[in-house]
Amino acid sequence: MSGADHPNGVEGAARPLDGVTVVDLSRVLAGPLCGQMLADHGAEVIKVEPPAGDDTRTWGPPFLPDGTGAYFTGLNRNKHNIALDLRTEAGMEVLDRLLADADVVIENFKAGTLEKWGLSDDTIAQRYPRLIHCRITGFGTDGPMGGAPGYDAVLQAYGAVMSINGEAGGPPTRVGVPIVDMMTGYLSFSGILLALRERDASGRGQLVDAALLDSAIAMLHPHSANLLNGGDEPVRMGSAHSNVAPYDVFDVADGQFFLAVGNDRQFRSFAEVIGLPELVDDPRFATNGDRVTNYPQLRAVLAEALAGFAREALGASLLARGVPGGPVHTMSQALADPQVRHRGMVLEDGDYRGIANPVKLGRTPAGYRWAPRAKGADTRAVLERHGFDDQRIAGFEADGTVVTAGEPAGADAR
């Protein structure tokens, strides 16, 4: 495993969610990411896939040697896996056993699906009073758009994230990662932890109502704060900032460099580093407000001045003076960066490659236990643990209620 100097992944270490059982009924991104976050921190997560499997198993290339899409592997480590047809009466019988023993269920079904299967919010609360139900939807289940399907890019557009992303004068642009889905996964993780903490006092579960729309709107700062307090409709500014300057990407001699000058002291130090101390006395640039107002003129001056600097040397000089900035890395450069590796953010264990859990605790770190499992790899073991005998399991297999599979090579559900 990479990051040997970092505690992430210490074998046998206690984790905060040891003893918490999660049934992960979700698929694609937000829900599985939330489930993986919980699993990394010690929860026993049972991923329930339909017999056809999570769609992301087919999303690629690239594909692993067993045919599983790399997309799937980034969201489903440390989980037990069963394949179960919830559209059948027998499938719902199995789910009932799972939920009766669970602390948390995560689902992102189309609105109304659980109700159709006899599991309304009220039914869940009555039948499983300690269960925390994390429901992830696009727009919520009620209101003018309640129940509408939601996908990351659609919510980036609907929630105005795209409207502020892109080059000045260019079209609205999708953020290059599924940022709304990922934010919803992280917020769902937080909501579940809050609900678990509250249950310690009340003894009762509750609904964690996570909507992609809410996540998108929550990410609009500072543009939303500006607009709600008398500012103008925000416009696309490329990599520049609406409230701070200079805060932008510049071409330098050997690539691109991002400069983030957050206050007047930093601007003074920056001006000295690049050999233009007179900028501080220029009334157009004296304060941050002046620099924002006159940014086109400031950018022109800085673009010319920075063109001759090498980005690593510039970054070192600025950081030595307390001025934030750094090179614009490619993905390969970022994942190979010594600081990224030192922080243990790239997991490498056997054939598994993935991004580590970003929530780091000093005594009880998150960690890697096993790679994403084959579809149905743990079906038999999980059903046996929940009281189903060999005859019932064989019957479930025969009628297609469940799918079982042998362990994939290298999978070690330790």
Side-chain angles (χ1 to χ4, degrees), residues 9-298:
V10 175
E11 185 69 26
R15 297 187 175 100
L17 298 180
D18 286 345
V20 173
T21 299
V22 179
V23 176
D24 182 0
L25 303 176
S26 66
R27 66 270 190 223
V28 187
L29 205 169
L33 175 60
C34 174
Q36 180 170 276
M37 294 282 289
L38 295 166
D40 286 351
H41 283 281
E44 179 185 10
V45 178
I46 301 170
K47 181 175 178 68
V48 179
E49 294 189 59
D54 189 316
D55 288 346
T56 59
R57 286 188 181 275
T58 68
W59 287 11
F63 294 100
L64 274 62
D66 67 358
T68 301
Y71 195 113
F72 178 88
T73 69
L75 302 166
N76 290 287
R77 65 172 173 256
N78 292 338
K79 302 177 185 180
H80 302 289
N81 188 288
I82 75 171
L84 178 66
D85 190 347
L86 295 174
R87 298 169 301 177
T88 67
E89 183 176 340
M92 292 304 294
E93 178 189 355
V94 174
L95 180 61
D96 176 67
R97 295 270 190 101
L98 296 178
L99 296 183
D101 290 339
D103 299 285
V104 179
V105 61
I106 305 168
E107 54 91 3
N108 57 357
F109 294 118
K110 180 180 178 181
T113 298
L114 284 183
E115 287 82 354
K116 181 177 65 177
W117 293 340
L119 288 176
S120 67
D121 290 349
D122 288 343
T123 301
I124 291 173
Q126 293 169 9
R127 190 178 298 172
Y128 319 107
R130 290 180 54 82
L131 183 68
I132 292 158
H133 172 198
C134 178
R135 181 176 66 207
I136 299 174
T137 61
F139 293 86
T141 58
D142 52 15
M145 290 290 291
Y151 296 88
D152 175 88
V154 172
L155 270 300
Q156 286 197 36
Y158 191 95
V161 175
M162 283 178 59
S163 76
I164 53 175
N165 188 57
E167 293 301 321
T173 305
R174 182 181 70 87
V175 177
V177 296
I179 192 168
V180 177
D181 265 339
M182 294 185 72
M183 175 65 78
T184 305
Y186 292 134
L187 293 177
S188 298
F189 171 72
S190 299
I192 288 168
L193 297 183
L194 291 172
L196 285 169
R197 177 66 181 89
E198 192 280 335
R199 193 185 67 175
D200 290 341
S202 69
R204 299 172 57 198
Q206 61 180 300
L207 176 67
V208 177
D209 183 5
L212 272 65
L213 177 60
D214 298 353
S215 299
I217 297 301
M219 288 191 294
L220 296 180
H221 185 82
H223 304 286
S224 55
N226 295 341
L227 186 64
L228 291 170
N229 290 279
D232 296 328
E233 185 75 32
V235 297
R236 289 177 290 285
M237 300 178 63
S239 297
H241 198 294
S242 60
N243 297 68
V244 183
Y247 196 100
D248 206 347
V249 64
F250 292 87
D251 290 325
V252 293
D254 57 349
Q256 292 185 312
F257 187 89
F258 196 92
L259 179 66
V261 176
N263 56 50
D264 295 341
R265 179 197 61 76
Q266 290 178 358
F267 185 68
R268 180 179 300 276
S269 296
F270 163 70
E272 292 171 354
V273 167
I274 66 171
L276 293 175
E278 64 273 16
L279 291 179
V280 176
D281 298 320
D282 189 321
R284 296 174 299 171
F285 313 138
T287 68
N288 180 70
D290 296 327
R291 295 190 292 275
V292 171
T293 300
N294 299 296
Y295 184 61
Q297 299 96 306
L298 177 61

Side-chain angles (χ1 to χ4, degrees), residues 264-349:
D264 295 341
R265 179 197 61 76
Q266 290 178 358
F267 185 68
R268 180 179 300 276
S269 296
F270 163 70
E272 292 171 354
V273 167
I274 66 171
L276 293 175
E278 64 273 16
L279 291 179
V280 176
D281 298 320
D282 189 321
R284 296 174 299 171
F285 313 138
T287 68
N288 180 70
D290 296 327
R291 295 190 292 275
V292 171
T293 300
N294 299 296
Y295 184 61
Q297 299 96 306
L298 177 61
R299 179 173 172 81
V301 172
L302 298 184
E304 181 178 357
L306 292 170
F309 283 85
R311 61 185 192 173
E312 295 295 338
L314 176 61
S317 297
L318 292 177
L319 290 177
R321 297 291 300 273
V323 180
V328 178
H329 281 146
T330 65
M331 189 74 67
S332 297
Q333 290 169 337
L335 296 183
D337 179 75
Q339 185 64 21
V340 173
R341 293 294 177 132
H342 173 75
R343 294 287 299 170
M345 283 307 299
V346 178
L347 292 177
E348 297 176 334
D349 190 285

